[in-house]
Amino acid sequence: MIVVVMGVAGSGKTTIGEALAHELGWRYLDADEYHPAANVAKMAAGTPLQDADRWPWLQKINAVVKEQRDAVLGCSALKESYRGRLTDGVLEFRIVYLRGSFELLSRRAAQRKHRFMPASLLKSQFETLEPPRGAIEVDVAQPVADCVRRILVALGH
């Protein structure tokens, strides 16, 4: 199974995703590791990515996850079409939506230093976000351990 942990910047994809993978004994994959240099440069300059920038990146991640038996993938996956591209041909997957208020996630994004994702892009991510239907939804105002427990229960672990 592939568990896609999705949400906007600062929602805890890496923190919660890594903790979840540890609890499951699975590999954690960070979608940020697969961005081409042009995407990284664009985001580092404070320019939001467009769909055309994302398609090759999502296709590459899809190829990687199809090679996995069990893994947790941390990826923004903001639109339904992006999630469809990520999971195309993946036989078993679940989507985990890390939900948080703009205020909370703005504070988090401002307090952290991401390699290339400036806090200024958070607004564009909220504007792009299409909350998923049928996902495991987690309020990230809760402690990480509580978020992970909720996900594990929903996954039947």
Side-chain angles (χ1 to χ4, degrees):
M1 174 187 287
I2 302 299
V3 177
V4 179
V5 178
M6 53 110 6
V8 300
S11 61
K13 295 179 295 291
T14 302
T15 302
I16 293 170
E18 286 178 342
L20 178 64
H22 177 78
E23 287 295 318
L24 292 167
W26 295 359
R27 181 174 179 200
Y28 176 75
L29 303 168
D30 187 339
D32 285 347
E33 299 298 322
Y34 300 95
H35 270 297
N39 284 10
V40 171
K42 197 170 186 179
M43 288 183 287
T47 304
L49 296 180
Q50 302 300 312
D51 285 354
D53 301 314
R54 288 185 176 99
W55 295 133
W57 170 65
L58 294 168
Q59 201 63 41
K60 181 173 185 148
I61 298 166
N62 174 262
V64 170
V65 298
K66 285 196 288 193
E67 295 174 356
Q68 305 299 311
R69 180 178 171 95
D70 292 311
V72 175
L73 169 68
C75 183
S76 54
L78 298 173
K79 289 184 177 181
E80 186 63 36
S81 60
Y82 303 166
R83 294 184 289 274
R85 180 74 56 105
L86 280 173
T87 59
D88 185 43
V90 177
L91 299 179
E92 190 177 7
F93 67 91
R94 290 293 305 269
I95 303 291
V96 175
Y97 170 38
L98 302 181
R99 178 181 44 79
S101 71
F102 181 78
E103 294 74 25
L104 171 65
L105 300 183
S106 290
R107 285 194 305 274
R108 287 184 181 179
Q111 292 171 351
R112 71 181 188 144
K113 276 289 189 201
H114 191 276
R115 294 188 323 271
F116 55 78
M117 180 70 179
S120 62
L121 290 179
L122 183 60
K123 184 176 185 294
S124 72
Q125 286 204 327
F126 267 93
E127 290 168 351
T128 301
L129 177 65
E130 296 172 359
R133 296 179 305 266
I136 299 167
E137 191 168 321
V138 178
D139 179 355
V140 297
Q142 306 302 310
V144 170
D146 292 349
C147 293
V148 171
R149 269 193 298 280
R150 167 140 170 50
I151 297 165
L152 289 168
V153 167
L155 291 173
H157 286 269

